Amino acid sequence: MTNPNCNEKAIDIFLKLSPYFQGLGDPVRQQIVALLIDKESMNVTQIAEHIPMSRPTVSHHLKILKQAGLLQVQKKGTEMYYRLEITEAIGLFKQLVMFVEEECYPNE
């Protein structure tokens, strides 16, 4: 039997995760995140070399990822460099998985 409070707590965690889901909700943005996983940082030109889209389109996707809280931007000279900032998102995903496993389905 599941805990009746599971629904409320799960919804609370999902609400906190919502910006990350929205940011990751497009295959191009998923590609960008995958590209940046093992990189210190990259500028738009470097990212666009790996993504089959124009620089303005890549910039648009970077803006959405930044607004979602998944990227940090650092200006170096005239270039903007992007790096992943996913610590908080990973923590929330872990919290959701652990909560569901431990509280909602403890014997499975």
Side-chain angles (χ1 to χ4, degrees), residues 4 8 15 17 29 31 44-45 63 75 84 88 94:
E8 258 181 64
L15 285 172
L17 281 167
R29 293 193 290 275
Q31 281 184 287
V44 177
T45 303
K63 178 182 173 186
K75 188 170 185 171
L84 282 183
E88 185 177 333
K94 286 180 180 178

Side-chain angles (χ1 to χ4, degrees), residues 58-90:
V58 171
S59 291
H60 170 73
H61 287 289
L62 289 168
K63 178 182 173 186
I64 292 170
L65 287 168
K66 182 179 178 275
Q67 289 172 338
L70 293 163
L71 294 180
Q72 289 290 322
V73 184
Q74 180 181 9
K75 188 170 185 171
K76 295 179 186 174
T78 60
E79 289 289 331
M80 302 296 271
Y81 283 82
Y82 298 85
R83 70 177 177 84
L84 282 183
E85 182 54 59
I86 57 174
T87 306
E88 185 177 333
I90 289 172

Side-chain angles (χ1 to χ4, degrees), residues 3 8 11 13-14 16 20 23 29 36 40-41 52 62 68 70 74-76 82-83 88 97 107:
N3 180 337
E8 258 181 64
I11 288 172
I13 298 169
F14 273 117
K16 292 176 185 171
Y20 303 119
R29 293 193 290 275
L36 290 170
E40 178 73 26
S41 66
L62 289 168
L70 293 163
Q74 180 181 9
K75 188 170 185 171
K76 295 179 186 174
Y82 298 85
R83 70 177 177 84
E88 185 177 333
V97 170
N107 297 322

Side-chain angles (χ1 to χ4, degrees), residues 2-14:
T2 61
N3 180 337
N5 295 324
C6 285
N7 195 24
E8 258 181 64
K9 176 76 172 176
I11 288 172
D12 180 56
I13 298 169
F14 273 117

